[in-house]
Amino acid sequence: MLRLSPPNFKRITQALSFDAIYGGGEANVAVSLANFDIPVDYVTRLPQNEVGEACIQYLRQFGVNTKKIIRGGNRLGIYFLEIGASVRPSKVIYDRANSSIATAKADLFDWDKIFEGITWFHWTGITPAISQNLADICLEAVKAAKQKGITISCDLNYRSKLWKYGKEPSEIMPELVKYCDIAIGNEEDADKVLGIRAPDTDITSGTIDAEKYQTVVEEILNQYPNLEKVAITLRGSISASHNTWSAILYDGKNMYFGPKYDIIPIIDRVGGGDSFMAGLIYGLLTYKDNLQSALNFAVAASCLKHTIVGDFNLVSKEEVLKLMEGDTSGRVSR
Amino acid sequence: MLRLSPPNFKRITQALSFDAIYGGGEANVAVSLANFDIPVDYVTRLPQNEVGEACIQYLRQFGVNTKKIIRGGNRLGIYFLEIGASVRPSKVIYDRANSSIATAKADLFDWDKIFEGITWFHWTGITPAISQNLADICLEAVKAAKQKGITISCDLNYRSKLWKYGKEPSEIMPELVKYCDIAIGNEEDADKVLGIRAPDTDITSGTIDAEKYQTVVEEILNQYPNLEKVAITLRGSISASHNTWSAILYDGKNMYFGPKYDIIPIIDRVGGGDSFMAGLIYGLLTYKDNLQSALNFAVAASCLKHTIVGDFNLVSKEEVLKLMEGDTSGRVSR
Amino acid sequence: MLRLSPPNFKRITQALSFDAIYGGGEANVAVSLANFDIPVDYVTRLPQNEVGEACIQYLRQFGVNTKKIIRGGNRLGIYFLEIGASVRPSKVIYDRANSSIATAKADLFDWDKIFEGITWFHWTGITPAISQNLADICLEAVKAAKQKGITISCDLNYRSKLWKYGKEPSEIMPELVKYCDIAIGNEEDADKVLGIRAPDTDITSGTIDAEKYQTVVEEILNQYPNLEKVAITLRGSISASHNTWSAILYDGKNMYFGPKYDIIPIIDRVGGGDSFMAGLIYGLLTYKDNLQSALNFAVAASCLKHTIVGDFNLVSKEEVLKLMEGDTSGRVSR
Amino acid sequence: MLRLSPPNFKRITQALSFDAIYGGGEANVAVSLANFDIPVDYVTRLPQNEVGEACIQYLRQFGVNTKKIIRGGNRLGIYFLEIGASVRPSKVIYDRANSSIATAKADLFDWDKIFEGITWFHWTGITPAISQNLADICLEAVKAAKQKGITISCDLNYRSKLWKYGKEPSEIMPELVKYCDIAIGNEEDADKVLGIRAPDTDITSGTIDAEKYQTVVEEILNQYPNLEKVAITLRGSISASHNTWSAILYDGKNMYFGPKYDIIPIIDRVGGGDSFMAGLIYGLLTYKDNLQSALNFAVAASCLKHTIVGDFNLVSKEEVLKLMEGDTSGRVSR
Amino acid sequence: MLRLSPPNFKRITQALSFDAIYGGGEANVAVSLANFDIPVDYVTRLPQNEVGEACIQYLRQFGVNTKKIIRGGNRLGIYFLEIGASVRPSKVIYDRANSSIATAKADLFDWDKIFEGITWFHWTGITPAISQNLADICLEAVKAAKQKGITISCDLNYRSKLWKYGKEPSEIMPELVKYCDIAIGNEEDADKVLGIRAPDTDITSGTIDAEKYQTVVEEILNQYPNLEKVAITLRGSISASHNTWSAILYDGKNMYFGPKYDIIPIIDRVGGGDSFMAGLIYGLLTYKDNLQSALNFAVAASCLKHTIVGDFNLVSKEEVLKLMEGDTSGRVSR
Amino acid sequence: MLRLSPPNFKRITQALSFDAIYGGGEANVAVSLANFDIPVDYVTRLPQNEVGEACIQYLRQFGVNTKKIIRGGNRLGIYFLEIGASVRPSKVIYDRANSSIATAKADLFDWDKIFEGITWFHWTGITPAISQNLADICLEAVKAAKQKGITISCDLNYRSKLWKYGKEPSEIMPELVKYCDIAIGNEEDADKVLGIRAPDTDITSGTIDAEKYQTVVEEILNQYPNLEKVAITLRGSISASHNTWSAILYDGKNMYFGPKYDIIPIIDRVGGGDSFMAGLIYGLLTYKDNLQSALNFAVAASCLKHTIVGDFNLVSKEEVLKLMEGDTSGRVSR
């Protein structure tokens, strides 16, 4: 997607220019992993015009393999992002209907070929929220991946402004999640996507209580025994400029609590969840026997994301490790 | 429409920001007339979101009455404009399918009410090129206007990248043009829209011969006797930065040749034809018995447009008159 | 007025460009009300040149009726605003002497015609601070409005750098306030303009105690029994980037305390009081029997103003209501 | 003066920011000379605020001695410059009334002290055009300079938008010019300031004939025998983006014709005359016995000015010499 | 190299920001070829820091394979580019001494591995101009390439500000050129690098006569019989904003003259020669039996380069073909 | 040095432009003092090109005397500064090797002449960290200054990325410090440069305890009895956007504790220590018998620095005094 944001905290109605970047759920995970030196292929469909070309170039610079991207269709999805501050929330206006990916047909994707040499497949709940076509394609993909023994991860990623094609998430997502090995979500996804809710929670109150989400992850694993691990990111929204950030991870046996960071000010919070997912994938690949470290890496990585302009988490492993080891001082490195 | 242009002659693939303005054929005419102190209402349909609101604010600043704009639908049409220079042409990528206006239904427009107190109605060939719906709405509008004795003007405005809904211009436009009093076009519109072509012309050769277009305007009046006046703008394309600019006007009796200007460098050539149309409407209203002056005003006004950033011709009557009277020296006014 | 601000927290001496917007006390109130869909006319005097035209266009985009603006005089008033941060305060340099409005003569304003169809008239203490002419014009205006039964509101708005024409506020303002129905001020206006002071207050200490200002509003109503309601905004200045914000409202019977917001970071605090005034006018018109809601709307609206670039409070009613209902979380709306 | 220009060829009504520089007739000459390593003091009066400070810093960076600048008064003069292109002229809106220098009193300037160690004094016709005060101060200055044997140069510099205080240039300037040794003007100054006109000239026709101006400089020397040398710059205005540029110099005996340059595109033509004056001063000081070289240096220097953003001619002697020697090829220097 | 340019035609001394891109002779050729869908690897040495990383990302976005780039050394070479206009030339200040590539040792490059699967090797005269090390490395490279039967092309590329390490081009380049199959140069390279000069030529005169350069290419082939083809680009420098552009190609039998283009205005002329080289490589690969077409493609491609911001020729094959076929009209593509 | 920073919190790899300013340890002190109206000469060596010229102009605007700067050598040192936020630290990449000053030879500096009329000499630990040459030059300078009875101050200023020429700070600095009268450092300099460490301190923990640094300053005075005063700045690094700031001063008899400020947000923390040094020099010169006031001035001045864009502390004495007197409220000054 093309993201268009008014510069310098302006409102959309004030803007005579838009900062432009290209990104989106899965792309954000892909770039973050490429940045951690994990080889990664990105699959989508983009229009055969300069805007599609610009998107490919944008992704390619970060080392993501873009050769599997299919060209065709009429347009690149767009979203307008008005960046909020203090008591004024950020605002997203989607203009993604009829995008090249939304109108893609299943036979465009030859999953056998796409999955050649692949060991991990990640998808998000945004994709099946766009169109029935995409929900079907997702299902084909997870089935094909499962059959090939590929690890499958999923970000539940509920978006209230999507799901406009006549289906509720509850009609689509459970079937898809059944093929997954790892699922993540934020504090409201489990509720909205899977109907599993933490007791007594109010996400607009500013604080968030990790304890309360233990029951959520436990219940997810109960209902989806195929899942090996479930993680929930925990965002305390004190204001648009000040959040707390943490996560919990559960593997059916142990409950792991990540560190809790205070992020003030937030430079760009879009892609926070995606950077957590990428951090968790990296963490699980790297700290195989140490889920606590895997989680800590994921939380630290995604904490840093909030300080990076754009959707992508452009931080190095070394920077994540430094924060993960406890240095939040922000002292100049020179 | 929202127009997105890379700044400073960058290509779309190079842009990390887009200059953003709102405009489009009829809007451009409306603003230009408002700028000449002609009261003007603008009718379209815009989405009920911040992007639609931004468009309304943008138009409103120039004194156009926006109260007749209908809100609804899903999106504002977008076009990407890559501004060329020298031997590199400008490039337009349309992303206007499924816009609020493209999906408008006829019953949204109560032409009786819209035309209350109106004496002149202007439309362009871009509108019926978008969808069958809009072609139908256009037909309703010109019929209603005709019935009320409103003067109707039309810019033939051929756009090869539109007309995607299964009809050729020749199937739609002639019927619409039959209701018009005044028509304008550029050197290729008559050919592409009405099938009337100047002999031996090659619009990419750089030069353009006004004489050759006499037969075109004569033939148009022959075929459309309802038309009182026809004008053709004459653009000599020496390069993307250097054009010549003139026009001819024919009223069935006399042929009027406008002055010919050399425009170098061109700051922004989009909206050139629209500014000619607005200049001609203003000229015809002001110089009732002097078609030569009306034409000269229109040519001078639209010549100046090429020096203004954006789609709109933000020049005053006084500035047009100064140029019309022959001062092309560009000497500092101080 | 034209406001010129160095971008990105630069100092005036560092600036090689200035961000430019048009605004000022009464204009800010007008735009805020137009934004809440209240029809509003703005009266002032602007020079007959491109700078005056730019000001009109700027106001017009927000839906304010600018047709009553008088053209003439030599210049638009200017102010330079250096935006501070943390321990460095913002700084205002006025360059408004001899502006078109400052040099306006009383006979330019035909109040009978200006007040046609008008039900509410708002003025601020800035206007009579500029010149004797303007103080006289103000007096004529409030007298005319009173006679026509128009509700009159006033923002006391003390500016120490004005009042240069030989009069003290205490010589001018009391006479003007006597014609008003509603008055607002901030924590120092009552003292500087009307000589009514809260006990033991130090506005540079960072905290501000609503209780202490009860005696102020009571005393104002005592001295100006014509006033139906008085409100005081309460700004706690912790730093240039961090304020608390609240207000009290008194109607002679009950004392209403608004919610207290923490604003961090402040994006642009200019126009905070004006947005409170507009919010209060809207609140009083909308919540006729519920002064607490009227006050809460005004405080929430003006709290949001601090997050908007420029002088104007470009927020919707819906956004104010969301904050007024307690959601300060700044969670992304998507 | 503070110069405020909309960026990127925008009109004033389109600008949401202004590029800001500080300059003005005499300052432009001063900086240009400092740039050629001539020690130079600049005398004016600036307000005691950040805007005045910014102006001083701006001048000081180029090596001009600013210590003789007097601080006081209320404001820095401002001018808005809309930069034209092609057939659209640049436009200047002055907002300089009541500036610190315009309101300066004669006794602020101790010419004995100011002229200590000074060998050359330059002033322009802009200064006495502003106020009677300044005309008087100018007269005092030239008298004092004359008495001390200082060479005096003057740029006639007619500005139609000034001279608003009730005097015509012809009532003030002749008396002042009588004290000068060297005078320059452009093609219209001699006419407007001294009433000496070239026969059959039309400055808006685009071309300009050096021959015709011979009679002008001869007549000036006839009427002002105190002048040792007179020069006229010759600007052919083909468009706002394309000028020809040359000059003639006359010393009462010989007539010198400068080279004629084609300037396309013009980057910034403001300060063209000032850069010629500075080039001529430098040339006369350097090529004492070679008036042709002095003139050629002045024409080449001021030709280059048109390619420099801002009022100041920021080119080195070496660059002027290269052009003066005939290399107009613009080949990359690397 | 990192290229730092003041924006908007400012001089280096005026700049408070620099536009930043990454490029350089061979990189420019590489990106241009990648843009024409030719697979291309780029070999250099870059520092192991964020600046080196930024350079890699910049190249990677255009599809160049960056995996063969060696990391190490202390710094990325920098050059400051002041973009000229009209009579003011562009100016380059090199700050490339001690760059990672300049200090590279020969044993860092394993040419056997680098040349695996490679069929064409291109190098430029800039590289051996930097240091003896690099001259040696170049020699090793061309020897290795020759041995493997790889086609070798070379751009003579004389840079007067380089060659500071004690050797003249004539001591180094002839030996290197002996291994080449194809060589190109501009109108002064043959003279400065190989000592072969066109008779009676003055490159600063603005015009350039293709005929005169026939003897140059003939003489080059005489002296370097290993060369199969030699091309000379012909730049007529009318001003910094206006050049003519053409080229000749000689294969020992036939002399081919390219079309001659008028480029006005020039947006960015850096990389012009590199884009010609890339166009020629593409042309020779594509039009194997049609050297005229190969040359025409190269000239048209590099003509377009002058309209593209930055060092790289970001144009598509289709765009080159359109110009090559004669359409220089710059008409909007829509 | 030229400082290049990506705008708007972007990372270096994201930047397509760099904000550019000129500064560095001693230059920062010089400008700060000039800003407080202390006459100041700055001595360094800069290349004879436009980049060196730009640096001189930049310094000169603030009133620093640049006439003692020596021109020559090959390049200006550069550093890239990536400005951090929240948990992401700022990052500095030095590219200063082989700069004109680093390669300066001792005989370029005629200290007798340089020190003519000078009463105070300030140097920093950065200079001898660059090269043996510079360490030698420093030693010559302090010896010459000592001999002339000039007060010598030194900022220990440890930079871990310098000291690359084979010497440890402990081999060079003690000898230099022996000639000083006043030394300052931050919380880690004493340790790294002089080997004197505060017990139990961890500078990344966010808080900092002034008490613990008493022993450090006492020990410094013990070891360097030549020093009359030693000060340590105390930075509490809560995050990259939030620091506390204070300092202690010791004169061998009394220990003075400065006020402690909370700085949130930090606009630009580079030059913080330099602005403290300048504030202390000013304070010691102004409050001769009141070391507490001198210290308080220094702490307040440098606190304000953190709110100023760039390396230089562009605040007035009056602004420092206002903060020093306790007003941290940041209320608008108007």
Side-chain angles (χ1 to χ4, degrees), chain F residues 10-241:
Chain F
K10 283 191 182 171
R11 306 218 73 174
I12 287 168
T13 55
Q14 295 178 297
L16 291 184
S17 74
F18 291 107
D19 291 334
I21 60 166
Y22 300 87
E26 296 86 353
N28 302 349
V29 176
V31 168
S32 193
L33 285 167
N35 222 41
F36 297 147
D37 296 327
I38 305 290
V40 59
D41 297 359
Y42 177 62
V43 180
T44 190
R45 185 168 177 245
L46 295 174
Q48 191 60 271
N49 63 19
E50 282 84 352
V51 180
E53 188 61 30
C55 181
I56 285 179
Q57 287 194 12
Y58 194 76
L59 291 167
R60 197 161 50 189
Q61 73 182 310
F62 301 107
V64 171
N65 177 20
T66 58
K67 289 182 183 157
K68 293 182 177 170
I69 292 174
I70 295 161
R71 302 299 291 275
N74 294 319
R75 63 184 301 258
L76 182 67
I78 292 176
Y79 78 100
F80 294 87
L81 171 67
E82 191 182 84
I83 296 178
S86 190
V87 294
R88 177 166 61 86
S90 290
K91 187 168 281 191
V92 167
I93 298 177
Y94 286 116
D95 176 16
R96 61 191 301 168
N98 301 298
S99 69
S100 291
I101 184 66
T103 58
K105 296 282 163 44
D107 57 11
L108 288 170
F109 298 89
D110 177 348
W111 292 108
D112 265 0
K113 206 165 160 197
I114 289 168
F115 283 144
E116 226 163 72
I118 296 300
T119 57
W120 192 299
F121 173 59
H122 175 68
W123 63 281
T124 83
I126 294 172
T127 304
I130 294 172
S131 64
Q132 183 67 52
N133 273 359
L134 282 176
D136 296 344
I137 290 169
C138 259
L139 189 59
E140 276 195 33
V142 292
K143 283 182 178 172
K146 196 73 190 173
Q147 200 179 18
K148 287 174 180 293
I150 292 170
T151 303
I152 304 175
S153 60
C154 158
D155 184 341
L156 300 176
N157 243 344
Y158 177 69
R159 293 286 181 273
S160 62
K161 293 189 182 170
L162 301 178
W163 295 104
K164 301 286 188 199
Y165 62 90
K167 291 279 176 58
E168 290 301 306
S170 57
E171 299 174 77
I172 299 284
M173 289 293 288
E175 171 72 5
L176 290 167
V177 171
K178 278 181 190 149
Y179 290 90
C180 293
D181 303 297
I182 292 158
I184 73 159
N186 68 17
E187 62 283 12
E188 68 176 322
D189 292 339
D191 174 12
K192 297 292 174 50
V193 173
L194 305 177
I196 298 169
R197 177 187 299 218
D200 305 324
T201 51
D202 172 9
I203 57 171
T204 65
S205 72
T207 59
I208 193 156
D209 184 353
E211 308 299 321
K212 288 187 178 160
Y213 286 88
Q214 291 192 59
T215 61
V216 174
V217 290
E218 286 166 359
E219 185 57 25
I220 294 174
L221 278 209
N222 270 354
Q223 294 188 18
Y224 297 88
N226 58 294
L227 289 172
E228 288 173 19
K229 299 178 192 73
V230 174
I232 296 276
T233 56
L234 302 167
R235 181 185 299 280
S237 295
I238 296 165
S239 79
S241 305

Side-chain angles (χ1 to χ4, degrees), chain E residues 6-274:
Chain E
N8 297 324
F9 296 109
K10 284 190 181 172
R11 306 217 74 173
I12 287 168
T13 55
Q14 293 178 297
L16 290 185
S17 74
F18 291 107
D19 291 335
I21 59 167
Y22 300 87
E26 296 86 354
N28 301 348
V29 176
V31 167
S32 193
L33 284 168
N35 223 41
F36 296 148
D37 296 326
I38 305 291
V40 59
D41 297 0
Y42 178 61
V43 180
T44 189
R45 186 168 176 245
L46 295 175
Q48 191 60 271
N49 64 19
E50 281 84 352
V51 180
E53 188 61 31
C55 181
I56 286 179
Q57 288 194 8
Y58 194 76
L59 292 168
R60 197 160 49 188
Q61 72 182 310
F62 301 107
V64 171
N65 177 20
T66 59
K67 289 181 184 159
K68 293 183 177 170
I69 292 174
I70 295 160
R71 303 296 293 273
N74 293 318
R75 64 183 301 257
L76 182 66
I78 292 176
Y79 77 99
F80 295 87
L81 170 67
E82 192 182 85
I83 296 178
S86 189
V87 295
R88 178 166 61 85
S90 291
K91 189 168 280 189
V92 167
I93 298 177
Y94 287 117
D95 178 15
R96 60 193 300 169
N98 302 298
S99 68
S100 291
I101 184 65
T103 58
K105 295 282 162 43
D107 56 11
L108 288 170
F109 298 88
D110 177 349
W111 293 109
D112 265 358
K113 206 165 159 198
I114 291 169
F115 282 145
E116 226 162 72
I118 296 299
T119 58
W120 192 299
F121 172 59
H122 175 67
W123 63 280
T124 83
I126 295 172
T127 304
I130 293 172
S131 64
Q132 183 66 53
N133 272 359
L134 282 176
D136 297 345
I137 290 169
C138 259
L139 189 59
E140 277 195 32
V142 292
K143 283 182 177 173
K146 197 72 190 173
Q147 201 179 19
K148 288 174 180 291
I150 293 170
T151 302
I152 304 175
S153 60
C154 158
D155 184 340
L156 299 175
N157 244 343
Y158 177 68
R159 292 287 181 271
S160 62
K161 292 188 182 171
L162 300 178
W163 294 104
K164 301 287 189 199
Y165 62 90
K167 291 278 175 60
E168 290 300 306
S170 57
E171 299 174 76
I172 299 285
M173 289 294 288
E175 170 73 4
L176 290 166
V177 171
K178 278 180 192 150
Y179 291 90
C180 293
D181 302 297
I182 292 159
I184 73 158
N186 67 17
E187 62 282 14
E188 68 177 322
D189 291 340
D191 174 13
K192 298 292 175 49
V193 173
L194 305 177
I196 299 169
R197 177 187 299 219
D200 306 325
T201 51
D202 171 8
I203 56 171
T204 65
S205 72
T207 59
I208 192 156
D209 184 354
E211 309 298 320
K212 289 187 178 161
Y213 286 89
Q214 292 192 58
T215 61
V216 174
V217 291
E218 286 166 0
E219 184 58 26
I220 293 175
L221 279 208
N222 271 353
Q223 294 189 18
Y224 298 87
N226 57 294
L227 290 172
E228 290 173 17
K229 300 180 191 73
V230 175
I232 296 277
T233 57
L234 303 168
R235 180 185 299 282
S237 295
I238 296 166
S239 80
S241 305
H242 184 186
N243 283 186
T244 60
W245 182 253
S246 189
I248 55 173
L249 172 66
Y250 183 57
D251 66 354
K253 285 168 290 188
N254 297 302
M255 189 73 64
Y256 300 91
F257 295 89
K260 182 171 170 185
Y261 295 103
D262 223 33
I263 311 174
I264 172 168
I266 293 169
I267 299 297
D268 195 323
R269 76 172 264 353
V270 178
D274 303 318

Side-chain angles (χ1 to χ4, degrees), chain C residues 8-9 11 14 85-92 94 159-161 187 203-204 237-241 269, chain F residues 8 261-265 267 303-304 307-309 314-316 319 322-323 327-334:
Chain C
N8 297 325
F9 296 109
R11 307 218 72 174
Q14 294 177 296
S86 188
V87 295
R88 177 167 61 85
S90 291
K91 188 167 282 189
V92 167
Y94 286 116
R159 291 287 181 272
S160 62
K161 292 189 182 170
E187 62 282 13
I203 57 172
T204 65
S237 295
I238 296 164
S239 80
S241 306
R269 75 170 265 353
Chain F
N8 298 324
Y261 295 103
D262 225 32
I263 311 174
I264 173 168
I267 299 297
C303 174
L304 279 166
T307 72
I308 306 291
V309 174
L314 304 175
V315 297
S316 67
E319 290 172 321
K322 193 177 159 211
L323 179 58
D327 184 353
T328 60
S329 72
R331 291 178 69 88
V332 180
S333 160
R334 65 180 167 191

Side-chain angles (χ1 to χ4, degrees), chain A residues 22-290:
Chain A
Y22 300 87
E26 296 86 353
N28 302 347
V29 176
V31 168
S32 193
L33 285 168
N35 222 41
F36 296 148
D37 297 326
I38 305 290
V40 59
D41 297 359
Y42 177 61
V43 180
T44 189
R45 185 166 176 247
L46 295 174
Q48 190 61 269
N49 64 19
E50 282 84 353
V51 180
E53 188 62 31
C55 180
I56 286 179
Q57 287 193 11
Y58 194 77
L59 291 168
R60 196 160 51 189
Q61 72 182 309
F62 301 107
V64 171
N65 177 20
T66 58
K67 289 180 184 159
K68 292 182 178 171
I69 293 174
I70 296 161
R71 302 298 292 273
N74 294 317
R75 64 185 299 258
L76 183 67
I78 292 176
Y79 78 100
F80 294 87
L81 171 67
E82 192 182 85
I83 297 178
S86 190
V87 294
R88 178 166 60 85
S90 290
K91 188 168 282 191
V92 167
I93 297 177
Y94 286 116
D95 177 16
R96 60 192 301 169
N98 302 297
S99 68
S100 292
I101 184 65
T103 58
K105 295 283 162 42
D107 57 11
L108 289 170
F109 298 89
D110 177 348
W111 293 108
D112 265 0
K113 205 165 160 196
I114 290 168
F115 283 145
E116 226 163 69
I118 296 300
T119 57
W120 191 300
F121 173 58
H122 175 67
W123 62 280
T124 82
I126 294 173
T127 304
I130 293 173
S131 64
Q132 182 68 52
N133 272 0
L134 282 176
D136 296 345
I137 290 169
C138 259
L139 189 59
E140 276 194 33
V142 291
K143 282 182 178 172
K146 196 71 190 172
Q147 201 179 17
K148 288 174 180 292
I150 293 170
T151 302
I152 304 175
S153 59
C154 159
D155 185 341
L156 298 177
N157 243 341
Y158 177 69
R159 290 288 182 270
S160 63
K161 293 188 182 170
L162 300 178
W163 295 103
K164 301 285 189 201
Y165 63 89
K167 292 277 176 61
E168 290 300 306
S170 58
E171 299 174 77
I172 299 285
M173 289 294 288
E175 171 72 4
L176 291 167
V177 171
K178 277 180 191 151
Y179 291 88
C180 293
D181 303 297
I182 291 159
I184 74 158
N186 69 17
E187 62 282 14
E188 69 177 322
D189 291 340
D191 174 13
K192 297 290 173 51
V193 173
L194 305 177
I196 298 169
R197 178 186 298 217
D200 306 324
T201 51
D202 171 8
I203 57 172
T204 65
S205 72
T207 59
I208 193 156
D209 184 354
E211 308 298 321
K212 289 186 178 161
Y213 287 88
Q214 293 193 56
T215 61
V216 174
V217 292
E218 285 165 0
E219 184 57 26
I220 294 174
L221 278 208
N222 271 353
Q223 295 188 18
Y224 298 87
N226 56 294
L227 291 172
E228 288 173 19
K229 299 180 191 75
V230 175
I232 296 277
T233 57
L234 303 167
R235 181 185 298 281
S237 294
I238 296 165
S239 80
S241 305
H242 183 187
N243 283 187
T244 60
W245 181 252
S246 188
I248 55 173
L249 172 68
Y250 183 56
D251 65 354
K253 285 170 290 188
N254 298 302
M255 188 73 64
Y256 300 92
F257 295 89
K260 182 171 170 185
Y261 295 104
D262 224 32
I263 312 174
I264 173 167
I266 293 170
I267 299 298
D268 195 323
R269 75 172 266 351
V270 178
D274 303 318
S275 65
F276 176 80
M277 184 76 245
L280 189 62
I281 294 174
Y282 178 84
L284 293 174
L285 291 171
T286 307
Y287 306 99
K288 284 183 209 293
D289 303 322
N290 188 340

